[in-house]
Each structure stands twice: as structure tokens, then as C-alpha cells.
Amino acid sequence: MDYSKIKGATFVRFKKNECFVHAGDQSDYFYVVASGYCHRVRLEENGNNTIRTIYSKGSIVCALMAYRNLVPKSDIVADTTLCCWKIPRQNFIDELDRNPEVAKHLMDQIIDEYLDLSSQFFGRKNGETPKLLCKFLFSHARMHEDGYLYMDKSYNNVKIAAHLGVHKVTATRIINALQKEQTLTRTKDGLQITNPEQLQYYASGKKTIKYK
């Protein structure tokens, strides 16, 4: 999909760690990621920051909030140098009527985000943090030239824990256990999924990793 052809679309760039959508500030724009990563983070009542959603190339940032023109309750922060198409909200809405492909992409993303958040909530409630962590790694890893899947190196243990809504010590223990059995390997390029078959078993819940 070529978002540059939508009326009023401009190409914008954000620096790593730059917050470009602030909680409580209503935006009149849709942002579509052209390259890089960003995340939606919310300050909880207990003072912890919880990462709700991660966006990568092709993602419509805060799709439901933008579509419904709601006031965001989360910040959107760039994890890397981030390039986006910034599109006036009404122009994007008009494009949905003309372009079924864009409308389908929007609805698919809203559904995927809902399912992901539901999985996180019920998974934590049912004590399935190891499964959620492995699923998270699989969902966000990218293939490198060496044929292995890698997590972007910007996703350290603290950020992974924030996405899962757990303490960083818990995330660190699970990751250390996965490294010990050589399912994961920490490299200069980030976490490498060394044994994807084993990680898939954990992510599907067919096996449970012992980490305590």
C-alpha cells in the first residue's frame, strides 16, 4: 500500500526514544510506520510503565484510537530511528471509503491488537508468563542474513518485561534459562533465536520452561 498518495501525507522522522504522541493530547493524524520500531507505553497506577503494543513497518499506530478520534491514554515512543507517513485523520478516513485494501489492513490490525492484549491479560492471570515471553520473541523477531531470527537489540530485558507487565527480574530469569539451554543466544546484534523449534514449543504451551 502506497500511503504517500493519500492527500496531505507527509514523511516524518523521529529520533530514538522520542515521544511523538503524548497521553492526553488528542491527535488529528494517523501515523503509518515506514521503517523502524515504536511502542505504546502506559503509566500504570502502581508507577510502572507497561508497553501495550509494538509497531513495525506497515503498522498503523494506535489504529483504533485514531479511527475513533479518542484521546490517547498512552505515549508513543520511538525505539529506533523511526520514519512514518503522517496523514490528516479525515483524509485517511476518506481513503477507507475508496480503498478496501486500506480498510481491511486497519480492521486486521485492530483485531490483532485486541487479541494480543487479551492474551497478555489472561496469560498473566493464569501464570503463563514464560509462554507469553516466548510468543513475544517469536512475534517480533526478524530474519537476518545469517538465517537466524533476531530480536532488535533495542529490546533489552527491561523493555521485554514492560511489554509483558512483569518485573524485570522475572523476564531476566526466563531469558537466562532459555540461554542456558541454548534456545536463545545473546549477540551484538540482539537476542538470537538459536533453536526456533524449541521456542515454538514453549510459545504454544506444549512445553513449559523451568526458570526459578
Side-chain angles (χ1 to χ4, degrees):
M1 287 174 282
D2 189 356
Y3 290 98
S4 65
K5 294 182 178 180
I6 298 179
K7 183 180 178 181
T10 56
F11 194 70
V12 294
R13 186 187 303 268
F14 303 103
K15 297 178 181 178
K16 180 179 178 180
N17 296 324
E18 183 176 353
C19 178
F20 61 97
V21 175
H22 296 269
D25 292 345
Q26 195 164 32
S27 176
D28 293 323
Y29 296 92
F30 276 83
Y31 292 90
V32 182
V33 178
S35 65
Y37 298 89
C38 62
H39 66 266
R40 181 164 67 94
V41 59
R42 181 171 178 173
L43 180 63
E44 305 292 354
E45 292 181 359
N46 60 10
N48 292 332
N49 285 322
T50 300
I51 295 175
R52 297 292 189 181
T53 312
I54 294 174
Y55 302 102
S56 57
K57 183 177 180 180
S59 297
I60 302 169
V61 177
C62 287
L64 180 60
M65 300 296 289
Y67 178 70
R68 295 292 303 275
N69 200 26
L70 302 174
V71 177
K73 297 180 179 179
S74 307
D75 293 334
I76 308 297
V77 181
D79 293 307
T80 62
T81 298
L82 181 74
C83 296
C84 295
W85 289 106
K86 181 181 178 182
I87 305 167
R89 179 181 176 278
Q90 189 55 55
N91 293 357
F92 193 96
I93 297 297
D94 292 342
E95 184 68 18
L96 296 177
D97 293 332
R98 293 190 293 266
N99 192 331
E101 186 180 5
V102 175
K104 182 179 184 304
H105 180 54
L106 176 72
M107 294 308 300
D108 285 346
Q109 187 173 317
I110 289 173
I111 292 170
D112 287 344
E113 284 187 33
Y114 172 78
L115 293 175
D116 184 51
L117 290 172
S118 297
S119 175
Q120 289 180 45
F121 175 78
F122 289 109
R124 289 195 300 270
K125 194 173 182 180
N126 296 328
E128 298 179 344
T129 298
K131 174 183 173 180
L132 292 175
L133 188 147
C134 293
K135 186 177 180 181
F136 171 79
L137 295 177
F138 247 126
S139 299
H140 295 90
R142 296 292 181 267
M143 186 69 71
H144 276 214
E145 294 177 355
D146 61 4
Y148 284 102
L149 290 165
Y150 286 81
M151 283 296 294
D152 189 274
K153 58 186 177 182
S154 66
Y155 287 93
N156 54 28
N157 293 358
V158 174
K159 191 169 288 185
I160 292 172
H163 177 78
L164 298 173
V166 300
H167 197 280
K168 64 181 179 181
V169 173
T170 302
T172 298
R173 287 176 176 172
I174 297 170
I175 290 170
N176 286 346
L178 291 167
Q179 288 181 263
K180 186 176 181 179
E181 65 172 36
Q182 298 183 332
T183 298
L184 298 178
T185 303
R186 193 173 294 281
T187 75
K188 62 180 179 63
D189 296 317
L191 276 176
Q192 178 197 81
I193 300 179
T194 312
N195 189 338
E197 291 81 12
Q198 181 81 312
L199 192 68
Q200 181 62 55
Y201 274 118
Y202 292 137
S204 64
K206 294 179 180 178
K207 293 180 68 175
T208 302
I209 187 166
K210 298 178 180 179
Y211 65 94
K212 294 181 179 179

